[in-house]
Amino acid sequence: MSKNIDYFMAPQSPWSYLGHQRFVAIARKHQATIQLKPADIAKVFSVTGGVPVAQRPPARQAYRLAELMRWSKHLNIPLTLHPKFFPVAGEPGAKLIVAAQQVSGTDKALDLAFALGRAVWAEEKNVADEATLIAVADSLGLNGAELLVHSHGEAVAADYAKNTEDALAAEVFGVPWYRIDGEGFWGQDRLEFVERALTR
C-alpha cells in the first residue's frame, strides 16, 4: 500500500531548495503520495520558538553558512550564500505554489516550488516581486499571470492558512518537514530516514 507524505516547506528556505528534488525522487520511487503544504514559516517560528536568521547569534549564523556550502557542494546544487534578495517574504511564492496545486495539480506545484527556491538561491531573483513570480511560472509552461490572480483569492488563502495550522498541529518547527504515518522528519539531511520509513 502506498503511503502519504505531508511535505511542509517554504519556497524561500535554502534547505527546502536543497532537499526538494531528492525528496520528490524518493517519494516517486516508492510510489508515495505527496501532500504538498507550503506554510507560513514565520508564524511557525513565532509559535515554536524559532528565530529568524538575522536574529541568531553570530556563531549560529556562521555555522549555517558553512553547512549550506557543504551541502551545496555535496549535492552539486548551485547556491549563493548571500543572495541579493534574502531575507524575502515567503507568502507570495507559497501562495503561488498553492494556486498551482489547485489549478494544475501537485506535480506542477512541486516543479514550481523548486523553481522558486532556485530563483532565490541560484539566480538571485526577488520571489516577492509579482513580475518575477509570473516569469518563473511561465518558464514551467504555466500561465503565470492567471496563476498570480488566483493566488490572491480566498481559496488559496484558506489552504495556506490550513497548511500552517496543520504544521502547528503536527508540531513542525522548521522546514522542510516530512511526516509519514504520524512521524515527523525535520530537514533535508533526514531524507535517508524518510526513505526507510517508506520501506517499512
Side-chain angles (χ1 to χ4, degrees):
M1 180 183 296
S2 65
K3 293 182 180 287
N4 289 325
I5 310 172
D6 289 332
Y7 175 33
F8 297 97
M9 58 79 64
Q12 76 276 25
S13 161
W15 305 110
S16 292
Y17 164 61
L18 287 172
H20 185 86
Q21 290 178 306
R22 285 157 47 237
F23 164 65
V24 172
I26 288 168
R28 288 174 176 164
K29 173 183 173 182
H30 295 281
Q31 299 181 322
T33 300
I34 298 172
Q35 305 293 338
L36 176 58
K37 293 177 177 287
D40 183 348
I41 191 59
K43 182 174 182 179
V44 169
F45 273 9
S46 71
V47 173
T48 60
V51 179
V53 172
Q55 297 176 24
R56 296 172 192 170
R60 287 180 176 269
Q61 293 190 41
Y63 189 76
R64 169 184 171 274
L65 294 176
E67 280 284 272
L68 285 173
M69 184 52 62
R70 286 183 189 132
W71 278 101
S72 171
K73 290 180 178 178
H74 176 65
L75 299 171
N76 196 29
I77 295 176
L79 182 142
T80 301
L81 280 182
H82 299 284
K84 184 176 180 181
F85 297 101
F86 186 84
V88 63
E91 183 171 314
K95 285 187 171 180
L96 196 74
I97 296 167
V98 174
Q101 191 169 24
Q102 290 181 354
V103 172
S104 301
T106 298
D107 285 350
K108 277 292 188 182
L110 287 167
D111 290 344
L112 180 60
F114 179 73
L116 290 173
R118 182 178 59 212
V120 176
W121 292 101
E123 300 167 354
E124 297 195 82
K125 294 179 179 177
N126 180 6
V127 295
D129 172 70
E130 292 192 343
T132 299
L133 293 174
I134 290 171
V136 173
D138 283 348
S139 73
L140 300 173
L142 298 164
N143 187 319
E146 289 185 4
L147 209 58
L148 185 68
V149 171
H150 186 70
S151 75
H152 293 314
E154 292 182 3
V156 167
D159 275 2
Y160 182 58
K162 186 176 187 308
N163 290 346
T164 306
E165 291 167 7
D166 288 349
L168 293 171
E171 300 184 332
V172 171
F173 51 80
V175 291
W177 191 285
Y178 319 98
R179 189 166 183 264
I180 304 168
D181 294 334
E183 184 177 4
F185 303 86
W186 175 40
Q188 58 87 35
D189 51 344
R190 299 298 187 271
L191 282 171
E192 179 182 347
F193 295 106
V194 168
E195 184 156 27
R196 289 182 186 181
L198 292 175
T199 61
R200 285 197 296 248

Coordinates of all heavy atoms in Angstrom, one line a residue, residues 107-184:
D107 N 2.0 17.8 -9.2 CA 3.3 17.7 -9.9 C 3.8 19.0 -10.4 O 5.0 19.4 -10.2 CB 3.2 16.7 -11.0 CG 3.1 15.2 -10.6 OD1 3.4 15.0 -9.4 OD2 2.8 14.4 -11.4
K108 N 2.9 19.8 -10.9 CA 3.3 21.1 -11.4 C 3.6 22.1 -10.3 O 4.6 22.9 -10.3 CB 2.2 21.8 -12.3 CG 2.1 21.3 -13.7 CD 3.4 21.9 -14.5 CE 3.3 21.6 -16.0 NZ 4.5 22.1 -16.7
A109 N 2.9 21.9 -9.2 CA 3.2 22.7 -8.0 C 4.5 22.4 -7.4 O 5.3 23.3 -6.9 CB 2.1 22.5 -7.0
L110 N 4.9 21.1 -7.4 CA 6.2 20.7 -7.0 C 7.3 21.3 -7.9 O 8.4 21.7 -7.4 CB 6.3 19.2 -6.9 CG 5.6 18.5 -5.8 CD1 5.5 17.0 -6.1 CD2 6.2 18.7 -4.5
D111 N 7.1 21.3 -9.2 CA 8.1 21.9 -10.1 C 8.2 23.4 -9.8 O 9.4 23.9 -9.8 CB 7.6 21.7 -11.5 CG 7.7 20.3 -12.0 OD1 8.4 19.5 -11.4 OD2 7.0 20.0 -13.1
L112 N 7.1 24.0 -9.5 CA 7.2 25.5 -9.2 C 7.9 25.7 -7.9 O 8.7 26.7 -7.7 CB 5.7 26.0 -9.1 CG 5.6 27.5 -8.8 CD1 6.3 28.4 -9.9 CD2 4.1 27.9 -8.8
A113 N 7.7 24.9 -6.9 CA 8.3 25.0 -5.6 C 9.8 25.0 -5.7 O 10.5 25.8 -5.2 CB 7.9 23.9 -4.6
F114 N 10.3 24.1 -6.5 CA 11.8 24.0 -6.7 C 12.3 25.2 -7.5 O 13.3 25.8 -7.2 CB 12.2 22.7 -7.5 CG 13.7 22.6 -7.7 CD1 14.5 22.4 -6.7 CD2 14.2 22.8 -9.0 CE1 15.9 22.4 -6.9 CE2 15.6 22.8 -9.2 CZ 16.4 22.5 -8.1
A115 N 11.5 25.6 -8.5 CA 11.9 26.7 -9.4 C 12.0 28.0 -8.6 O 12.9 28.9 -8.8 CB 11.0 26.9 -10.6
L116 N 11.1 28.2 -7.6 CA 11.1 29.4 -6.8 C 12.3 29.4 -5.8 O 13.0 30.4 -5.6 CB 9.8 29.5 -6.0 CG 8.6 29.9 -6.8 CD1 7.3 29.8 -6.0 CD2 8.8 31.3 -7.5
G117 N 12.7 28.2 -5.3 CA 13.9 28.1 -4.5 C 15.1 28.4 -5.3 O 16.0 29.1 -4.8
R118 N 15.2 27.8 -6.5 CA 16.3 28.1 -7.4 C 16.4 29.6 -7.7 O 17.5 30.2 -7.8 CB 16.2 27.3 -8.6 CG 17.3 27.4 -9.6 CD 17.1 26.5 -10.8 NE 15.9 26.8 -11.5 CZ 15.1 26.0 -12.1 NH1 15.5 24.7 -12.2 NH2 14.0 26.3 -12.7
A119 N 15.2 30.2 -7.9 CA 15.2 31.6 -8.2 C 15.9 32.5 -7.1 O 16.6 33.4 -7.4 CB 13.8 32.1 -8.5
V120 N 15.6 32.1 -5.9 CA 16.2 32.8 -4.7 C 17.7 32.5 -4.6 O 18.5 33.4 -4.6 CB 15.5 32.5 -3.4 CG1 16.2 33.1 -2.2 CG2 14.0 32.8 -3.4
W121 N 18.0 31.2 -4.6 CA 19.3 30.8 -4.1 C 20.4 30.6 -5.2 O 21.6 30.6 -4.9 CB 19.2 29.5 -3.3 CG 18.5 29.8 -2.0 CD1 17.2 29.6 -1.7 CD2 19.0 30.5 -0.9 NE1 16.9 30.1 -0.5 CE2 18.0 30.7 0.1 CE3 20.3 31.0 -0.6 CZ2 18.2 31.3 1.3 CZ3 20.5 31.6 0.7 CH2 19.5 31.7 1.6
A122 N 19.9 30.5 -6.4 CA 20.9 30.3 -7.5 C 20.9 31.4 -8.5 O 21.9 31.8 -9.1 CB 20.7 29.0 -8.3
E123 N 19.7 32.0 -8.7 CA 19.5 33.1 -9.7 C 19.4 34.5 -9.1 O 19.3 35.5 -9.9 CB 18.3 32.7 -10.6 CG 18.4 31.4 -11.3 CD 17.1 30.9 -11.8 OE1 16.0 31.5 -11.6 OE2 17.1 29.9 -12.5
E124 N 19.3 34.6 -7.8 CA 19.3 35.8 -7.1 C 18.1 36.7 -7.6 O 18.3 37.9 -7.9 CB 20.6 36.6 -7.2 CG 21.7 35.8 -6.5 CD 23.0 36.7 -6.3 OE1 23.0 37.4 -5.3 OE2 23.9 36.6 -7.1
K125 N 16.9 36.1 -7.6 CA 15.7 36.9 -8.0 C 14.9 37.1 -6.8 O 14.9 36.4 -5.8 CB 15.0 36.0 -9.1 CG 15.7 35.9 -10.4 CD 14.9 35.0 -11.4 CE 15.6 34.9 -12.7 NZ 14.9 34.0 -13.6
N126 N 14.0 38.1 -6.9 CA 13.1 38.5 -5.9 C 11.8 37.8 -6.0 O 10.9 38.2 -6.8 CB 12.9 40.0 -5.9 CG 12.0 40.5 -4.8 OD1 11.6 39.8 -3.9 ND2 11.7 41.8 -4.8
V127 N 11.6 36.8 -5.2 CA 10.3 36.0 -5.4 C 9.2 36.6 -4.6 O 8.1 36.0 -4.5 CB 10.5 34.5 -4.9 CG1 11.5 33.8 -5.9 CG2 11.0 34.4 -3.5
A128 N 9.3 37.8 -4.1 CA 8.2 38.6 -3.6 C 7.7 39.5 -4.6 O 6.7 40.2 -4.4 CB 8.6 39.3 -2.3
D129 N 8.4 39.6 -5.8 CA 8.0 40.5 -6.9 C 7.1 39.8 -7.8 O 7.3 38.7 -8.3 CB 9.3 40.9 -7.6 CG 9.0 41.7 -8.8 OD1 8.5 42.9 -8.7 OD2 9.2 41.2 -9.9
E130 N 6.0 40.4 -8.1 CA 4.9 39.8 -9.0 C 5.4 39.5 -10.3 O 5.1 38.4 -10.9 CB 3.7 40.7 -9.0 CG 3.0 40.7 -7.7 CD 1.6 41.3 -7.8 OE1 1.3 42.0 -8.8 OE2 0.8 41.2 -6.8
A131 N 6.2 40.3 -11.0 CA 6.7 40.1 -12.3 C 7.6 38.8 -12.3 O 7.6 38.0 -13.2 CB 7.4 41.3 -12.9
T132 N 8.4 38.7 -11.2 CA 9.3 37.5 -11.1 C 8.5 36.3 -11.0 O 8.8 35.2 -11.6 CB 10.2 37.7 -9.9 OG1 11.0 38.9 -10.1 CG2 11.1 36.5 -9.7
L133 N 7.5 36.3 -10.1 CA 6.6 35.1 -9.9 C 6.0 34.7 -11.2 O 5.9 33.5 -11.6 CB 5.5 35.4 -8.9 CG 6.0 35.6 -7.4 CD1 4.9 36.1 -6.5 CD2 6.7 34.4 -6.9
I134 N 5.5 35.7 -12.0 CA 4.8 35.3 -13.3 C 5.9 34.7 -14.2 O 5.6 33.7 -14.9 CB 4.2 36.6 -13.9 CG1 3.0 37.1 -13.1 CG2 3.9 36.4 -15.4 CD1 2.5 38.5 -13.6
A135 N 7.1 35.3 -14.3 CA 8.1 34.8 -15.2 C 8.5 33.3 -14.8 O 8.7 32.5 -15.7 CB 9.3 35.7 -15.2
V136 N 8.7 33.1 -13.5 CA 9.0 31.7 -13.1 C 8.0 30.7 -13.4 O 8.2 29.6 -14.0 CB 9.3 31.7 -11.6 CG1 9.6 30.3 -11.1 CG2 10.6 32.5 -11.2
A137 N 6.7 31.1 -13.2 CA 5.6 30.2 -13.5 C 5.5 30.0 -15.0 O 5.3 28.8 -15.5 CB 4.3 30.8 -13.0
D138 N 5.7 31.0 -15.8 CA 5.6 30.9 -17.3 C 6.7 30.0 -17.8 O 6.5 29.2 -18.7 CB 5.8 32.3 -17.9 CG 4.6 33.2 -17.9 OD1 3.5 32.7 -17.5 OD2 4.7 34.4 -18.1
S139 N 7.9 30.0 -17.1 CA 9.0 29.2 -17.6 C 8.7 27.7 -17.5 O 9.4 26.9 -18.1 CB 10.3 29.5 -16.8 OG 10.2 29.0 -15.5
L140 N 7.7 27.4 -16.7 CA 7.3 26.0 -16.5 C 6.1 25.6 -17.3 O 5.6 24.5 -17.2 CB 7.0 25.7 -15.0 CG 8.2 26.0 -14.0 CD1 7.7 25.9 -12.6 CD2 9.3 25.0 -14.3
G141 N 5.7 26.5 -18.2 CA 4.5 26.2 -19.0 C 3.2 26.5 -18.3 O 2.1 26.2 -18.8
L142 N 3.3 27.2 -17.2 CA 2.0 27.6 -16.5 C 1.7 29.0 -17.0 O 2.5 29.7 -17.5 CB 2.3 27.6 -15.0 CG 2.6 26.3 -14.3 CD1 3.2 26.5 -12.9 CD2 1.3 25.4 -14.3
N143 N 0.4 29.4 -16.8 CA 0.0 30.8 -17.1 C 0.2 31.6 -15.9 O -0.6 31.7 -15.0 CB -1.4 30.8 -17.5 CG -1.9 32.2 -18.0 OD1 -1.5 33.2 -17.5 ND2 -2.6 32.2 -19.1
G144 N 1.4 32.2 -15.8 CA 1.8 33.0 -14.6 C 0.9 34.1 -14.2 O 0.6 34.2 -13.0
A145 N 0.4 34.8 -15.2 CA -0.5 36.0 -14.8 C -1.8 35.5 -14.2 O -2.3 36.0 -13.2 CB -0.8 36.8 -16.1
E146 N -2.4 34.5 -14.8 CA -3.6 33.9 -14.3 C -3.4 33.3 -12.9 O -4.2 33.4 -12.0 CB -4.2 32.9 -15.3 CG -4.8 33.5 -16.6 CD -5.5 32.5 -17.4 OE1 -5.6 31.3 -17.0 OE2 -5.9 32.9 -18.5
L147 N -2.3 32.6 -12.8 CA -2.0 31.9 -11.6 C -1.8 33.0 -10.4 O -2.2 32.7 -9.3 CB -0.7 31.1 -11.7 CG -0.6 29.9 -10.9 CD1 -1.7 28.9 -11.1 CD2 0.7 29.2 -11.2
L148 N -1.2 34.1 -10.8 CA -1.0 35.1 -9.8 C -2.3 35.7 -9.3 O -2.5 35.9 -8.1 CB -0.1 36.2 -10.3 CG 0.3 37.3 -9.3 CD1 1.2 36.8 -8.3 CD2 0.9 38.5 -10.0
V149 N -3.2 35.9 -10.2 CA -4.5 36.4 -9.8 C -5.2 35.4 -8.9 O -5.8 35.7 -7.9 CB -5.4 36.7 -11.1 CG1 -6.8 37.0 -10.7 CG2 -4.8 37.8 -11.9
H150 N -5.1 34.1 -9.3 CA -5.8 33.1 -8.5 C -5.1 33.0 -7.1 O -5.8 32.7 -6.1 CB -5.6 31.7 -9.2 CG -6.3 30.6 -8.5 ND1 -7.7 30.5 -8.5 CD2 -5.9 29.5 -7.8 CE1 -8.1 29.4 -7.8 NE2 -7.0 28.8 -7.4
S151 N -3.8 33.3 -7.0 CA -3.1 33.2 -5.7 C -3.6 34.2 -4.7 O -3.4 34.1 -3.5 CB -1.6 33.3 -5.9 OG -1.2 34.7 -6.2
H152 N -4.3 35.3 -5.2 CA -4.8 36.3 -4.3 C -6.2 36.0 -3.8 O -6.8 36.8 -3.0 CB -4.8 37.7 -5.0 CG -3.4 38.2 -5.3 ND1 -2.4 38.2 -4.4 CD2 -2.9 38.7 -6.5 CE1 -1.3 38.7 -5.0 NE2 -1.6 39.1 -6.2
G153 N -6.8 34.9 -4.3 CA -8.1 34.6 -3.9 C -8.3 33.9 -2.6 O -7.4 33.5 -1.9
E154 N -9.6 33.7 -2.2 CA -9.9 33.2 -0.9 C -9.6 31.7 -0.8 O -9.2 31.2 0.3 CB -11.4 33.4 -0.6 CG -11.8 34.9 -0.4 CD -13.3 35.0 -0.1 OE1 -14.0 34.0 0.0 OE2 -13.7 36.2 0.1
A155 N -9.7 31.0 -1.9 CA -9.5 29.5 -1.8 C -8.0 29.3 -1.5 O -7.7 28.4 -0.7 CB -9.8 28.9 -3.2
V156 N -7.1 30.1 -2.1 CA -5.7 29.9 -1.8 C -5.4 30.3 -0.4 O -4.6 29.7 0.4 CB -4.8 30.7 -2.8 CG1 -3.4 30.8 -2.3 CG2 -4.9 30.0 -4.2
A157 N -5.9 31.4 0.0 CA -5.7 31.9 1.4 C -6.2 30.9 2.4 O -5.5 30.7 3.4 CB -6.5 33.2 1.6
A158 N -7.3 30.2 2.1 CA -7.8 29.2 3.1 C -6.9 28.0 3.2 O -6.6 27.5 4.2 CB -9.2 28.8 2.6
D159 N -6.4 27.6 2.0 CA -5.5 26.4 2.0 C -4.1 26.7 2.7 O -3.5 25.9 3.4 CB -5.2 25.9 0.6 CG -6.3 25.0 0.1 OD1 -7.3 24.7 0.9 OD2 -6.2 24.5 -1.0
Y160 N -3.6 27.9 2.4 CA -2.4 28.4 3.0 C -2.5 28.4 4.5 O -1.6 28.0 5.3 CB -2.0 29.7 2.4 CG -0.7 30.3 2.9 CD1 0.5 29.6 2.7 CD2 -0.6 31.6 3.5 CE1 1.7 30.1 3.2 CE2 0.6 32.1 3.9 CZ 1.8 31.4 3.8 OH 3.0 31.9 4.2
A161 N -3.6 29.0 5.0 CA -3.8 29.1 6.4 C -4.0 27.7 7.0 O -3.4 27.4 8.1 CB -5.1 29.9 6.7
K162 N -4.6 26.8 6.3 CA -4.8 25.4 6.8 C -3.5 24.7 6.9 O -3.2 23.9 7.8 CB -5.8 24.6 6.0 CG -6.1 23.2 6.6 CD -7.2 22.5 5.8 CE -7.5 21.2 6.5 NZ -6.4 20.3 6.9
N163 N -2.6 24.9 5.8 CA -1.3 24.3 5.8 C -0.5 24.7 7.1 O 0.2 23.9 7.7 CB -0.5 24.7 4.6 CG -1.1 24.1 3.3 OD1 -1.9 23.1 3.4 ND2 -0.6 24.6 2.2
T164 N -0.6 26.0 7.4 CA 0.1 26.5 8.6 C -0.5 25.9 9.9 O 0.3 25.5 10.8 CB 0.0 28.0 8.6 OG1 0.5 28.5 7.4 CG2 0.9 28.6 9.7
E165 N -1.8 25.8 9.9 CA -2.4 25.2 11.1 C -2.1 23.7 11.2 O -1.8 23.2 12.3 CB -4.0 25.3 11.0 CG -4.5 26.7 11.1 CD -5.9 26.9 10.7 OE1 -6.6 25.8 10.5 OE2 -6.4 28.0 10.7
D166 N -2.0 23.0 10.1 CA -1.6 21.6 10.1 C -0.2 21.5 10.6 O 0.2 20.5 11.3 CB -1.8 21.0 8.7 CG -3.2 20.8 8.2 OD1 -4.1 20.9 9.1 OD2 -3.4 20.6 7.0
A167 N 0.7 22.4 10.2 CA 2.1 22.3 10.6 C 2.2 22.5 12.1 O 2.9 21.7 12.8 CB 2.9 23.5 9.9
L168 N 1.5 23.4 12.7 CA 1.5 23.6 14.1 C 0.9 22.4 14.8 O 1.4 22.0 15.9 CB 0.8 24.9 14.5 CG 1.4 26.2 14.0 CD1 0.5 27.4 14.2 CD2 2.8 26.4 14.7
A169 N -0.2 21.8 14.3 CA -0.8 20.7 14.9 C 0.1 19.5 14.9 O 0.1 18.6 15.8 CB -2.1 20.3 14.2
A170 N 1.0 19.4 13.8 CA 1.9 18.3 13.7 C 3.3 18.6 14.4 O 4.2 17.8 14.3 CB 2.2 18.0 12.2
E171 N 3.3 19.7 15.2 CA 4.5 20.1 15.9 C 5.7 20.3 15.1 O 6.9 20.1 15.4 CB 4.8 19.0 17.0 CG 3.7 18.9 18.0 CD 4.0 17.9 19.2 OE1 4.8 17.0 19.0 OE2 3.4 18.1 20.3
V172 N 5.4 20.9 13.9 CA 6.5 21.3 13.0 C 7.1 22.6 13.6 O 6.4 23.4 14.1 CB 5.9 21.6 11.6 CG1 7.0 22.3 10.7 CG2 5.4 20.3 11.0
F173 N 8.5 22.7 13.5 CA 9.1 23.9 13.9 C 10.2 24.4 13.0 O 10.9 25.4 13.2 CB 9.7 23.7 15.3 CG 10.6 22.5 15.5 CD1 11.9 22.5 15.0 CD2 10.1 21.4 16.1 CE1 12.7 21.4 15.2 CE2 10.9 20.2 16.2 CZ 12.3 20.3 15.8
G174 N 10.3 23.7 11.8 CA 11.2 24.2 10.8 C 10.9 23.5 9.5 O 10.1 22.5 9.5
V175 N 11.5 23.9 8.4 CA 11.2 23.3 7.1 C 12.6 23.0 6.4 O 13.6 23.7 6.7 CB 10.4 24.2 6.2 CG1 9.0 24.3 6.7 CG2 10.9 25.6 6.0
P176 N 12.6 22.0 5.5 CA 11.5 21.2 5.2 C 11.2 20.2 6.3 O 12.1 19.8 7.1 CB 12.0 20.4 3.9 CG 13.5 20.4 4.1 CD 13.8 21.7 4.8
W177 N 9.9 19.8 6.3 CA 9.5 18.8 7.3 C 8.6 17.8 6.6 O 7.7 18.1 5.8 CB 8.6 19.5 8.4 CG 8.3 18.7 9.6 CD1 7.4 17.6 9.6 CD2 8.9 18.8 10.9 NE1 7.3 17.1 10.9 CE2 8.2 17.8 11.7 CE3 9.8 19.6 11.4 CZ2 8.6 17.7 13.1 CZ3 10.1 19.5 12.8 CH2 9.5 18.5 13.6
Y178 N 9.0 16.5 6.8 CA 8.3 15.4 6.1 C 7.6 14.6 7.2 O 8.2 14.3 8.2 CB 9.3 14.5 5.4 CG 10.3 15.3 4.6 CD1 11.6 15.5 5.2 CD2 10.1 15.9 3.4 CE1 12.6 16.2 4.6 CE2 11.1 16.6 2.7 CZ 12.3 16.7 3.3 OH 13.3 17.4 2.7
R179 N 6.3 14.2 7.0 CA 5.5 13.5 8.0 C 4.9 12.3 7.4 O 4.2 12.3 6.4 CB 4.5 14.4 8.6 CG 3.7 13.8 9.8 CD 3.0 14.9 10.5 NE 2.3 14.5 11.7 CZ 1.0 14.1 11.8 NH1 0.3 14.1 10.7 NH2 0.5 13.7 12.9
I180 N 5.3 11.1 7.9 CA 4.8 9.8 7.4 C 4.2 9.0 8.6 O 4.9 8.8 9.6 CB 6.0 9.0 6.8 CG1 6.6 9.9 5.7 CG2 5.4 7.7 6.2 CD1 7.9 9.3 5.2
D181 N 3.0 8.6 8.4 CA 2.3 7.8 9.5 C 2.5 8.4 10.9 O 2.7 7.8 11.9 CB 2.9 6.4 9.5 CG 2.7 5.6 8.3 OD1 1.7 5.8 7.6 OD2 3.5 4.7 8.0
G182 N 2.3 9.8 10.9 CA 2.4 10.5 12.1 C 3.8 10.8 12.7 O 3.9 11.4 13.7
E183 N 4.8 10.3 12.0 CA 6.2 10.5 12.4 C 6.8 11.7 11.6 O 6.7 11.7 10.4 CB 7.0 9.3 12.2 CG 8.4 9.4 12.7 CD 9.2 8.1 12.6 OE1 8.7 7.1 12.0 OE2 10.4 8.0 13.0
G184 N 7.4 12.6 12.3 CA 8.0 13.8 11.6 C 9.5 13.6 11.4 O 10.2 13.0 12.2

